[in-house]
Amino acid sequence: MSQSPVERPWCVSGKLSSATMNRPRLPQPRSWPVSLRLVEIRRVSSEEQALDDRAGLDRQAASNVATAERHGAILIEPPFVLTDVSRTNFRDTPEWRRIVELIAAPDTHIVVDTLDRLAAGLEGIALLQVCRDTGTLVYTSSTVIDLSTLAGRWTAVALSMTAGDELEAIRHRVQGAKEAKRRDGIFPSADISLPTGIAYIRSKGEKRGRWTYNDKIHAVREVFRLVLEEGLRNWSEVARRAGFKNPVTIRNLLRNPIYKGWWIVDKKRQAGPTPIKADGRRKDRKKIKRAPNEIIRRQVFRARGAPPTPDDPREEALLDDTTWDALQAIVEAKTKEFYKPREPRGESRFTYSGLLWCAECGERLWSRTRPRHGRESGRRDWYACASTQVARSDCPTKYIDRKKLNAGLDRLFSAVFADERILGSLVHSGIKGEREDYSERIDAVTQTVTKIEGQRTKLLDLYLSGGWRREDLDARRFKLDGELERAQRTLRQYERAQQAADTSAVLGALTEALQALAEFEFWTAGQKREFLTKFFPKIEVSKKGIERVHMQAPSTRTVGNRAVVVERDEPLVLQVAMTWEQLRPPAEETEFGLPVKDLYTRADIMTMLGLTEHQFNDRLAKGLIPAATKTRWGKRAWTLAQMREIAAAWSERGKPYRWGLAKKPFYASGEVAEILGITWEDLRYAIESGRIADCKGRDGQGHRLWTEAEVERAVATLVRETPEVFAPRS
C-alpha cells in the first residue's frame, strides 16, 4: 500500500549525510503563498554509486533542496529514490507510474539534480513526451525546462540524446578496458565474481594486482581432500562435510582450473539490450561461450612445487597438474555414470512425442500420465488427442495407450518399412496419387493461361477499333500481364513437381538412409526421434491404428540438363492403414502351444489339455495336476516350469509304466487284483486274513486307493508266501 504524499516546505525525506542534515534551513515566511509543489527524484545506476559522494543520493538530495529553496516551492514527501536503475530503463519502473499520477495534479512538477537523472537516449524522449502532455516543468539545479515551448523541447531532447550517447560511450570504453585488463591477467569485475577461496588485491602497495587466497580456501582444500583421499563421490555429502549448501558448487569447484594456477575466461555475457525485470531493474545477461580466438588463458599462480623467484612473486597453486588430471578423470567418470545416462522426464517413455497427429480431427497428440490406483503400482501413460481439452469434443480417437502405440510404431518402422517391397508399393501409390493430382492442377492452370492470353488479344482489338483510351488500355494490360506471369509461374512449378514424381528415383535416394531401419528397435528414444524428424516428420494415428505417414523423401529434378537429387517441397503422404492387431508382433510360443508368460491360469491348463472345468477339478483333486505355487490377482497360477511338467506328464499318460499299466498316483483295487493275477474276492480275503497289508488311501466313496509302493509291497508279500497259488503279472 503506497504512502500518501505529505507536503513540507523545502523539506526532503530520506536518509541524508550529516553535512546535509546539519545544513541551516531558511524559515518560510508566512506571507509567501506556497502553491508550487515538486516531486523529487533521486536515481543512481548501481548500489556503488549510491555510496559515492560525487553522484550519490546524498548529493542529489542537497541539490534538490537548494533548487526548491531558490524557487520557493515545497517538496512532496516521500521522495522517489531509485537505485540499480539505468537512465534508459527509468520509464519501466513502478515509481515512474506513480510519478505520472502525481504530476497530473495542477501546480505539480518534477525536480532532479540534472536532466540525465530522469531522461537519457530515445527512451528518455518518451518520458519527456509525458511531461509535455501533462504540462509538467522539469526543475534542475541549473535551469527550468518548459516542454511546451520550442526552446524547451530542443534543450530537453538535446540533453537526453547527449546523455544517451555518453552512456553508450561509457559502456563501450568500460567493456573495452575490462577486456584489456583480463588479457593482462587483471581481474576487473567485482569480488563476488571470483571463484570460492580466490581473492584479488586491488589496493596500492607492493602486492597490488596480485592473485591470492582468502579464508574460504580451507573449505576448498577440504573438498579436494574428501574426493582424492577419502574417495567420496556423493557431491551432496562432500558439500555437507565441507560446509557448502549446494552440491552444484562442489562440481564447479572440481572443474575450475584456477586451482591449478590457470585463469581461463571462456564465457562472456550475451550482447544486445540489457534484460529488464518487471520493476525496471536490470537482470543478468545470459552467459555464452566465447569464440576460440576470444578465450583468455593466464597463469595467475605459479605451478605447484615450483620454487618462488624474485621475478615471479606469485603464490603457489593449490594442485599440481598430475593431481588435477586425476581429479578431472573422477569428475568425468561421475558424469558418465550418473548424469549422462539420465534423460529428461518422459523422454524414454513417450518415444514418439511431437511426431503424432490425430487422423480423425487433425489435432496433435500429447503425452498424458497419471499414477495408478488400488493394487496397481507405477504410472499409466497415454497419447491424448488435443481435442480432448475442448468441451463436448466428438473426436473418436481421444486416448491411445502408450505401450500399444509405441510397440505398433516400432513394428512399423523396424519390420514393415524395412521391407523394400512394401515401402516401394506405398511410395508408388503415394506418387501415383500426386501425379494424378498434378495433372488436374496443370490442366486447370493451362486453361487460365489460355483465357488470359485471349483477353489480352481482345483488349488490343478494342483499342484499335477506338473503343478504349490509351490510359485505360495501359492500366488493363498491366493487370493482365501480372495475372499471366503468376499463372505461368504456377504452371512451371506443377510441371517440375510432376517430373519429380518418380518412384524409382525416390526409392533410390532413400535406399541408403532406410537401411538403418533394420536396427530401429535397438535405437534409443533420442536416436529414433532424430531419424523420424528427418524422414517421417508426421504420423497420423487413430483409435483403429496407423492411418498415414508423411515421408520427407528426396526427389530428382532437372537443373541445367542434369538430374539433381533435392528435398521435396512437401512430404509424400503414404497411406498405411494398418490396425493395431496387424502391427502386433507375433508372440513367442512354447512347445505346448501357449504364448510365453510368467504365470498361467487354470484356463490356460484347460486349453492345453483340452479338459472341461469338471475334468480339471477332478484331476487336480486326484493329484494328476500339481497344485499351484503362485497367485495372480488373488487366483491360483502356475509357472512355466510347472506347465512343462504338466504337459510332459499328460503326453506320457497312455504309455505302460509298470505291470502293463500307465503311471498313476493311485491304483484301484480292481487294478491291484489284476496285477496280482487273482480275483477281487481273493484280494479281499487276503486283506481280511492279514496276509496282505491294507492300503491307507480312500476316495470320497470309501474305495481303496493304492499307491505304487503299497502295490509293490503286496506283490512281494504274496509271491514270497504262496508262489504256487499267486502268479502276479509282470
Side-chain angles (χ1 to χ4, degrees):
M1 185 173 180
S2 60
Q3 183 180 2
S4 59
V6 180
E7 301 178 359
R8 293 186 180 179
W10 308 332
C11 178
V12 62
S13 74
K15 186 178 180 181
L16 304 180
S17 63
S18 58
T20 304
M21 294 297 294
N22 297 329
R23 180 175 179 175
R25 305 293 182 89
L26 295 176
Q28 180 184 7
R30 296 183 182 273
S31 59
W32 286 7
V34 179
S35 60
L36 178 60
R37 302 186 305 169
L38 299 180
V39 178
E40 182 184 2
I41 299 175
R42 311 178 210 159
R43 186 202 57 78
V44 288
S45 300
S46 63
E47 297 290 346
E48 291 79 5
Q49 291 180 356
L51 304 176
D52 189 355
D53 292 338
R54 294 173 299 174
L57 299 176
D58 292 347
R59 192 194 62 78
Q60 295 183 38
S63 176
N64 293 339
V65 168
T67 302
E69 293 174 354
R70 187 166 59 252
H71 294 279
I74 63 172
L75 297 177
I76 297 179
E77 187 180 346
F80 291 90
V81 181
L82 295 90
T83 60
D84 196 24
V85 177
S86 175
R87 289 178 281 187
T88 58
N89 304 322
F90 182 70
R91 68 169 182 173
D92 298 324
T93 61
E95 289 84 353
W96 171 249
R97 292 190 287 272
R98 177 59 179 153
I99 292 172
V100 173
E101 296 176 0
L102 292 176
I103 62 178
D107 296 329
T108 304
H109 305 279
I110 294 175
V111 59
V112 291
D113 179 24
T114 56
L115 185 65
D116 62 349
R117 295 297 163 186
L118 173 65
L122 295 174
E123 294 82 359
I125 297 177
L127 274 68
L128 298 175
Q129 181 64 37
V130 175
C131 294
R132 180 192 176 187
D133 295 339
T134 57
T136 303
L137 304 179
V138 180
Y139 287 80
T140 67
S141 59
S142 59
T143 184
V144 178
I145 301 176
D146 185 359
L147 295 169
S148 63
T149 63
L150 180 60
R153 290 194 294 271
W154 275 108
T155 302
V157 171
L159 292 175
S160 178
M161 294 303 298
T162 302
D165 292 342
E166 289 179 353
L167 187 61
E168 292 294 331
I170 291 172
R171 185 182 293 114
H172 180 73
R173 289 196 301 269
V174 168
Q175 294 300 331
K178 284 186 176 181
E179 188 70 8
K181 287 184 176 181
R182 291 190 189 99
R183 297 193 177 278
D184 292 337
I186 301 173
F187 190 77
S189 303
D191 291 344
I192 195 174
S193 303
L194 286 166
T196 305
I198 304 298
Y200 185 77
I201 302 176
R202 295 184 176 85
S203 60
K204 297 181 179 180
E206 296 180 358
K207 295 185 178 181
R208 179 186 178 187
R210 286 179 56 180
W211 293 76
T212 183
Y213 303 107
N214 56 26
D215 297 339
K216 294 183 179 180
I217 197 63
H218 301 293
V220 178
R221 287 194 176 98
E222 180 65 13
V223 170
F224 293 144
R225 188 192 68 81
L226 292 172
V227 175
L228 293 172
E229 298 181 11
E230 296 192 12
L232 285 180
R233 298 297 181 267
N234 188 335
W235 300 156
S236 298
E237 178 63 16
V238 173
R240 186 188 66 82
R241 295 176 60 175
F244 293 95
K245 296 181 180 180
N246 195 341
V248 178
T249 305
I250 304 302
R251 189 152 52 102
N252 294 336
L253 286 177
L254 299 176
R255 289 179 171 179
N256 199 330
I258 199 169
Y259 298 110
K260 72 167 183 175
W262 284 86
W263 181 42
I264 299 178
V265 184
D266 57 355
K267 293 182 179 180
K268 64 179 180 180
R269 295 290 180 181
Q270 193 173 21
T274 303
I276 304 299
K277 300 179 183 177
D279 59 353
R281 272 63 178 179
R282 294 174 295 180
K283 292 194 299 186
D284 289 337
R285 297 174 184 266
K286 183 180 179 180
K287 280 189 176 181
I288 60 175
K289 291 185 177 181
R290 289 174 174 247
N293 60 328
E294 296 179 347
I295 297 177
I296 299 173
R297 294 180 175 86
R298 296 287 298 185
Q299 187 176 6
V300 295
F301 294 96
R302 73 173 186 273
R304 181 77 174 176
T309 61
D311 298 335
D312 188 6
R314 297 176 297 181
E315 297 191 30
E316 188 179 34
L318 204 61
L319 302 173
D320 56 22
D321 291 342
T322 304
T323 307
W324 173 259
D325 294 340
L327 192 64
Q328 298 312 299
I330 293 173
V331 175
E332 186 66 22
K334 169 81 172 181
T335 303
K336 289 182 179 179
E337 295 173 4
F338 182 76
Y339 293 102
K340 288 188 177 179
R342 289 193 171 191
E343 296 180 343
R345 180 178 177 83
E347 180 172 334
S348 59
R349 304 204 319 271
F350 297 97
T351 306
Y352 299 95
S353 180
L355 302 170
L356 301 177
W357 299 75
C358 178
E360 302 290 345
C361 64
E363 296 289 341
R364 279 184 175 272
L365 265 67
W366 303 105
S367 58
R368 293 289 184 271
T369 181
R370 70 167 178 83
R372 296 179 182 269
H373 300 287
R375 290 180 293 180
E376 302 180 5
S377 61
R379 305 186 68 85
R380 189 173 181 183
D381 303 325
W382 301 277
Y383 288 98
C385 179
S387 62
T388 57
Q389 305 299 319
V390 181
R392 299 180 181 179
S393 173
D394 57 351
C395 178
T397 301
K398 294 185 179 179
Y399 297 94
I400 303 177
D401 185 72
R402 175 187 62 86
K403 293 183 179 180
K404 179 174 71 174
L405 193 145
N406 283 358
L409 289 174
D410 288 345
R411 173 79 173 165
L412 176 69
F413 291 109
S414 61
V416 179
F417 280 5
D419 191 337
E420 188 175 350
R421 294 173 300 176
I422 298 177
L423 184 62
S425 62
L426 293 175
V427 172
H428 178 73
S429 301
I431 289 180
K432 181 180 179 181
E434 282 195 355
R435 185 183 295 112
E436 295 174 353
D437 186 27
Y438 282 127
S439 299
E440 296 178 358
R441 297 181 186 180
I442 290 174
D443 293 341
V445 176
T446 302
Q447 294 178 4
T448 302
V449 171
T450 305
K451 179 179 178 181
I452 296 174
E453 291 177 347
Q455 290 177 351
R456 292 177 76 252
T457 304
K458 184 178 179 181
L459 184 64
L460 183 60
D461 295 339
L462 291 174
Y463 172 71
L464 294 176
S465 62
W468 283 57
R469 296 182 302 170
R470 181 57 183 264
E471 294 80 4
D472 297 337
L473 174 68
D474 293 340
R476 181 59 178 168
R477 184 170 56 84
F478 179 77
K479 182 179 179 181
L480 291 176
D481 289 344
E483 294 177 357
L484 180 62
E485 183 180 359
R486 288 191 294 271
Q488 290 176 345
R489 183 168 60 250
T490 303
L491 180 61
R492 289 193 297 269
Q493 292 177 354
Y494 287 159
E495 290 176 348
R496 288 197 300 267
Q498 189 180 36
Q499 294 175 1
D502 185 0
T503 306
S504 59
V506 173
L507 286 179
L510 279 175
T511 300
E512 183 178 356
L514 296 183
Q515 285 177 352
L517 286 177
E519 302 177 355
F520 187 83
E521 58 182 328
F522 304 106
W523 292 355
T524 63
Q527 291 172 334
K528 290 179 180 179
R529 273 198 299 274
E530 182 180 358
F531 180 85
L532 295 178
T533 302
K534 181 178 180 181
F535 292 100
F536 303 96
K538 185 177 181 180
I539 305 170
E540 297 184 32
V541 300
S542 66
K543 202 72 174 179
K544 299 177 182 179
I546 302 174
E547 303 294 340
R548 292 173 291 275
V549 175
H550 296 245
M551 184 174 69
Q552 188 68 48
S555 59
T556 58
R557 291 181 183 175
T558 303
V559 179
N561 297 326
R562 185 179 61 178
V564 179
V565 178
V566 296
E567 295 291 337
R568 294 178 58 91
D569 295 333
E570 297 180 358
L572 180 65
V573 181
L574 306 183
Q575 296 290 339
V576 179
M578 298 186 69
T579 64
W580 300 118
E581 294 295 331
Q582 294 173 337
L583 291 169
R584 180 180 297 176
E588 182 182 357
E589 292 189 356
T590 59
E591 61 274 11
F592 45 83
L594 293 179
V596 176
K597 296 189 294 185
D598 295 334
L599 295 175
Y600 295 85
T601 62
R602 58 187 295 166
D604 295 328
I605 298 179
M606 293 165 57
T607 302
M608 179 180 67
L609 303 182
L611 303 176
T612 63
E613 186 173 359
H614 175 74
Q615 292 172 336
F616 172 81
N617 293 332
D618 181 66
R619 282 161 176 75
L620 184 65
K622 292 180 179 180
L624 298 177
I625 298 176
T629 58
K630 304 286 185 179
T631 58
R632 185 176 185 181
W633 308 113
K635 297 182 180 180
R636 292 174 292 185
W638 287 259
T639 62
L640 180 61
Q642 288 179 313
M643 293 292 289
R644 288 195 172 104
E645 293 177 2
I646 295 172
W650 187 260
S651 63
E652 297 290 333
R653 70 185 187 281
K655 297 181 180 179
Y657 172 63
R658 296 188 65 182
W659 310 298
L661 301 177
K663 181 177 176 60
K664 298 180 180 180
F666 300 102
Y667 295 89
S669 297
E671 293 174 332
V672 174
E674 185 180 358
I675 292 172
L676 297 177
I678 61 177
T679 63
W680 158 243
E681 289 78 5
D682 293 336
L683 176 62
R684 182 178 180 183
Y685 176 75
I687 294 173
E688 292 177 352
S689 63
R691 299 178 61 185
I692 297 177
D694 194 2
C695 64
K696 297 181 180 180
R698 297 289 189 278
D699 60 6
Q701 288 76 30
H703 299 155
R704 290 180 174 87
L705 295 177
W706 298 74
T707 64
E708 183 179 349
E710 291 172 340
V711 175
E712 186 72 26
R713 185 174 62 249
V715 171
T717 300
L718 293 182
V719 171
R720 183 178 63 251
E721 293 185 357
T722 56
E724 69 281 359
V725 178
F726 298 101
R729 296 175 58 181
S730 57

Short mmCIF file of all heavy atoms in Angstrom, two decimals, residues 247-276:
data_model
loop_
_atom_site.label_atom_id
_atom_site.label_comp_id
_atom_site.label_asym_id
_atom_site.label_seq_id
_atom_site.Cartn_x
_atom_site.Cartn_y
_atom_site.Cartn_z
N PRO A 247 25.26 -28.78 -3.67
CA PRO A 247 26.22 -29.73 -4.26
C PRO A 247 26.72 -29.32 -5.64
O PRO A 247 27.77 -29.79 -6.08
CB PRO A 247 25.42 -31.04 -4.33
CG PRO A 247 23.99 -30.62 -4.28
CD PRO A 247 23.95 -29.38 -3.45
N VAL A 248 25.97 -28.44 -6.33
CA VAL A 248 26.44 -27.97 -7.64
C VAL A 248 27.73 -27.16 -7.47
O VAL A 248 28.60 -27.16 -8.36
CB VAL A 248 25.34 -27.13 -8.33
CG1 VAL A 248 25.82 -26.58 -9.66
CG2 VAL A 248 24.09 -27.97 -8.53
N THR A 249 27.87 -26.49 -6.34
CA THR A 249 29.10 -25.74 -6.06
C THR A 249 30.31 -26.66 -6.06
O THR A 249 31.39 -26.31 -6.53
CB THR A 249 28.98 -25.01 -4.72
OG1 THR A 249 27.82 -24.19 -4.73
CG2 THR A 249 30.20 -24.15 -4.45
N ILE A 250 30.15 -27.87 -5.54
CA ILE A 250 31.25 -28.84 -5.50
C ILE A 250 31.67 -29.22 -6.91
O ILE A 250 32.87 -29.26 -7.24
CB ILE A 250 30.83 -30.09 -4.71
CG1 ILE A 250 30.36 -29.69 -3.30
CG2 ILE A 250 31.97 -31.08 -4.64
CD1 ILE A 250 31.38 -28.97 -2.48
N ARG A 251 30.72 -29.48 -7.77
CA ARG A 251 31.05 -29.85 -9.15
C ARG A 251 31.77 -28.71 -9.86
O ARG A 251 32.71 -28.93 -10.63
CB ARG A 251 29.77 -30.22 -9.89
CG ARG A 251 29.98 -30.84 -11.26
CD ARG A 251 28.84 -31.76 -11.61
NE ARG A 251 27.56 -31.12 -11.45
CZ ARG A 251 26.82 -30.63 -12.46
NH1 ARG A 251 27.27 -30.71 -13.69
NH2 ARG A 251 25.66 -30.09 -12.23
N ASN A 252 31.34 -27.47 -9.62
CA ASN A 252 32.00 -26.33 -10.25
C ASN A 252 33.42 -26.13 -9.71
O ASN A 252 34.33 -25.77 -10.47
CB ASN A 252 31.17 -25.07 -10.03
CG ASN A 252 29.83 -25.13 -10.74
OD1 ASN A 252 29.68 -25.85 -11.72
ND2 ASN A 252 28.85 -24.39 -10.25
N LEU A 253 33.60 -26.35 -8.41
CA LEU A 253 34.95 -26.22 -7.84
C LEU A 253 35.90 -27.23 -8.45
O LEU A 253 37.06 -26.91 -8.77
CB LEU A 253 34.88 -26.43 -6.32
CG LEU A 253 34.27 -25.30 -5.47
CD1 LEU A 253 34.24 -25.71 -4.02
CD2 LEU A 253 35.07 -24.03 -5.63
N LEU A 254 35.44 -28.47 -8.60
CA LEU A 254 36.31 -29.52 -9.11
C LEU A 254 36.68 -29.31 -10.57
O LEU A 254 37.67 -29.89 -11.05
CB LEU A 254 35.63 -30.88 -8.95
CG LEU A 254 35.30 -31.28 -7.50
CD1 LEU A 254 34.54 -32.59 -7.47
CD2 LEU A 254 36.58 -31.41 -6.68
N ARG A 255 35.93 -28.48 -11.28
CA ARG A 255 36.22 -28.25 -12.70
C ARG A 255 36.93 -26.94 -12.98
O ARG A 255 37.31 -26.69 -14.12
CB ARG A 255 34.89 -28.25 -13.49
CG ARG A 255 34.24 -29.63 -13.60
CD ARG A 255 32.94 -29.52 -14.36
NE ARG A 255 32.38 -30.82 -14.68
CZ ARG A 255 31.23 -31.02 -15.33
NH1 ARG A 255 30.52 -29.95 -15.70
NH2 ARG A 255 30.78 -32.21 -15.59
N ASN A 256 37.11 -26.11 -11.98
CA ASN A 256 37.70 -24.79 -12.20
C ASN A 256 39.22 -24.90 -12.25
O ASN A 256 39.86 -25.28 -11.26
CB ASN A 256 37.29 -23.84 -11.08
CG ASN A 256 37.46 -22.38 -11.49
OD1 ASN A 256 38.33 -22.04 -12.28
ND2 ASN A 256 36.63 -21.52 -10.93
N PRO A 257 39.85 -24.58 -13.38
CA PRO A 257 41.31 -24.74 -13.50
C PRO A 257 42.11 -23.71 -12.72
O PRO A 257 43.34 -23.78 -12.71
CB PRO A 257 41.56 -24.62 -15.01
CG PRO A 257 40.43 -23.78 -15.50
CD PRO A 257 39.26 -24.09 -14.64
N ILE A 258 41.47 -22.73 -12.08
CA ILE A 258 42.24 -21.72 -11.35
C ILE A 258 42.94 -22.34 -10.15
O ILE A 258 43.95 -21.81 -9.67
CB ILE A 258 41.32 -20.56 -10.92
CG1 ILE A 258 42.16 -19.33 -10.60
CG2 ILE A 258 40.45 -20.95 -9.75
CD1 ILE A 258 41.39 -18.06 -10.43
N TYR A 259 42.44 -23.48 -9.67
CA TYR A 259 43.07 -24.11 -8.51
C TYR A 259 44.35 -24.85 -8.89
O TYR A 259 45.07 -25.30 -8.01
CB TYR A 259 42.07 -25.06 -7.84
CG TYR A 259 40.86 -24.33 -7.32
CD1 TYR A 259 39.62 -24.50 -7.93
CD2 TYR A 259 40.96 -23.45 -6.27
CE1 TYR A 259 38.50 -23.81 -7.48
CE2 TYR A 259 39.84 -22.75 -5.81
CZ TYR A 259 38.62 -22.94 -6.42
OH TYR A 259 37.53 -22.25 -5.97
N LYS A 260 44.62 -25.00 -10.18
CA LYS A 260 45.93 -25.48 -10.60
C LYS A 260 46.78 -24.33 -11.15
O LYS A 260 47.85 -24.56 -11.70
CB LYS A 260 45.80 -26.59 -11.63
CG LYS A 260 45.35 -26.14 -13.01
CD LYS A 260 45.55 -27.27 -14.02
CE LYS A 260 45.18 -26.83 -15.43
NZ LYS A 260 45.49 -27.84 -16.44
N GLY A 261 46.27 -23.08 -11.00
CA GLY A 261 47.07 -21.91 -11.33
C GLY A 261 46.65 -21.16 -12.56
O GLY A 261 47.20 -20.08 -12.83
N TRP A 262 45.68 -21.66 -13.32
CA TRP A 262 45.32 -21.05 -14.60
C TRP A 262 43.95 -20.40 -14.53
O TRP A 262 42.96 -21.01 -14.11
CB TRP A 262 45.32 -22.10 -15.71
CG TRP A 262 46.71 -22.46 -16.14
CD1 TRP A 262 47.52 -23.41 -15.59
CD2 TRP A 262 47.47 -21.87 -17.20
NE1 TRP A 262 48.72 -23.46 -16.22
CE2 TRP A 262 48.73 -22.52 -17.23
CE3 TRP A 262 47.22 -20.87 -18.12
CZ2 TRP A 262 49.72 -22.19 -18.14
CZ3 TRP A 262 48.21 -20.54 -19.05
CH2 TRP A 262 49.44 -21.20 -19.04
N TRP A 263 43.90 -19.12 -14.93
CA TRP A 263 42.65 -18.37 -15.03
C TRP A 263 42.23 -18.39 -16.48
O TRP A 263 42.88 -17.78 -17.34
CB TRP A 263 42.85 -16.94 -14.53
CG TRP A 263 41.61 -16.10 -14.59
CD1 TRP A 263 40.35 -16.47 -14.25
CD2 TRP A 263 41.51 -14.74 -15.02
NE1 TRP A 263 39.47 -15.44 -14.42
CE2 TRP A 263 40.16 -14.34 -14.89
CE3 TRP A 263 42.43 -13.79 -15.47
CZ2 TRP A 263 39.71 -13.08 -15.21
CZ3 TRP A 263 42.00 -12.53 -15.80
CH2 TRP A 263 40.65 -12.18 -15.66
N ILE A 264 41.14 -19.12 -16.78
CA ILE A 264 40.66 -19.29 -18.15
C ILE A 264 39.29 -18.64 -18.26
O ILE A 264 38.35 -19.01 -17.55
CB ILE A 264 40.59 -20.78 -18.53
CG1 ILE A 264 41.98 -21.41 -18.44
CG2 ILE A 264 40.01 -20.95 -19.92
CD1 ILE A 264 41.99 -22.88 -18.75
N VAL A 265 39.17 -17.66 -19.15
CA VAL A 265 37.91 -16.96 -19.40
C VAL A 265 37.39 -17.44 -20.75
O VAL A 265 37.86 -17.00 -21.80
CB VAL A 265 38.10 -15.43 -19.39
CG1 VAL A 265 36.76 -14.74 -19.55
CG2 VAL A 265 38.80 -14.99 -18.12
N ASP A 266 36.46 -18.39 -20.72
CA ASP A 266 35.91 -18.96 -21.95
C ASP A 266 34.44 -18.64 -22.16
O ASP A 266 33.81 -19.18 -23.06
CB ASP A 266 36.10 -20.48 -21.97
CG ASP A 266 35.47 -21.15 -20.76
OD1 ASP A 266 34.99 -20.43 -19.87
OD2 ASP A 266 35.48 -22.39 -20.69
N LYS A 267 33.87 -17.75 -21.31
CA LYS A 267 32.49 -17.34 -21.46
C LYS A 267 32.39 -15.83 -21.38
O LYS A 267 33.28 -15.17 -20.85
CB LYS A 267 31.60 -17.99 -20.40
CG LYS A 267 31.45 -19.49 -20.53
CD LYS A 267 30.52 -20.05 -19.48
CE LYS A 267 30.37 -21.55 -19.63
NZ LYS A 267 29.45 -22.12 -18.61
N LYS A 268 31.31 -15.31 -21.89
CA LYS A 268 31.06 -13.87 -21.84
C LYS A 268 29.56 -13.63 -21.78
O LYS A 268 28.76 -14.54 -22.04
CB LYS A 268 31.67 -13.16 -23.05
CG LYS A 268 31.05 -13.57 -24.38
CD LYS A 268 31.69 -12.81 -25.53
CE LYS A 268 31.06 -13.20 -26.87
NZ LYS A 268 31.67 -12.48 -28.00
N ARG A 269 29.20 -12.41 -21.44
CA ARG A 269 27.80 -12.05 -21.40
C ARG A 269 27.28 -11.78 -22.81
O ARG A 269 28.01 -11.21 -23.64
CB ARG A 269 27.59 -10.80 -20.54
CG ARG A 269 27.92 -11.00 -19.07
CD ARG A 269 26.94 -11.90 -18.39
NE ARG A 269 27.27 -12.10 -16.98
CZ ARG A 269 26.58 -12.85 -16.16
NH1 ARG A 269 25.53 -13.50 -16.60
NH2 ARG A 269 26.93 -12.98 -14.89
N GLN A 270 26.06 -12.20 -23.07
CA GLN A 270 25.47 -12.03 -24.40
C GLN A 270 25.25 -10.55 -24.71
O GLN A 270 24.84 -9.77 -23.85
CB GLN A 270 24.15 -12.78 -24.45
CG GLN A 270 23.58 -12.95 -25.85
CD GLN A 270 22.36 -13.83 -25.85
OE1 GLN A 270 21.72 -14.01 -24.83
NE2 GLN A 270 22.03 -14.40 -26.99
N ALA A 271 25.59 -10.16 -25.94
CA ALA A 271 25.42 -8.77 -26.36
C ALA A 271 23.96 -8.48 -26.63
O ALA A 271 23.12 -9.36 -26.73
CB ALA A 271 26.27 -8.50 -27.61
N GLY A 272 23.66 -7.18 -26.76
CA GLY A 272 22.30 -6.77 -27.04
C GLY A 272 21.73 -5.93 -25.92
O GLY A 272 22.42 -5.56 -24.96
N PRO A 273 20.46 -5.59 -26.01
CA PRO A 273 19.83 -4.76 -24.97
C PRO A 273 19.87 -5.46 -23.61
O PRO A 273 19.79 -6.68 -23.52
CB PRO A 273 18.39 -4.60 -25.47
CG PRO A 273 18.44 -4.93 -26.93
CD PRO A 273 19.53 -5.91 -27.11
N THR A 274 19.99 -4.67 -22.57
CA THR A 274 20.04 -5.21 -21.23
C THR A 274 18.67 -5.75 -20.84
O THR A 274 17.67 -5.05 -20.97
CB THR A 274 20.46 -4.12 -20.22
OG1 THR A 274 21.71 -3.59 -20.63
CG2 THR A 274 20.57 -4.70 -18.82
N PRO A 275 18.58 -7.02 -20.40
CA PRO A 275 17.28 -7.54 -19.98
C PRO A 275 16.79 -6.83 -18.73
O PRO A 275 17.56 -6.52 -17.82
CB PRO A 275 17.56 -9.03 -19.72
CG PRO A 275 19.02 -9.10 -19.48
CD PRO A 275 19.65 -8.02 -20.29
N ILE A 276 15.50 -6.55 -18.69
CA ILE A 276 14.90 -5.76 -17.62
C ILE A 276 13.84 -6.59 -16.91
O ILE A 276 13.08 -7.32 -17.56
CB ILE A 276 14.28 -4.46 -18.18
CG1 ILE A 276 15.34 -3.67 -18.97
CG2 ILE A 276 13.71 -3.61 -17.07
CD1 ILE A 276 16.52 -3.24 -18.14
#
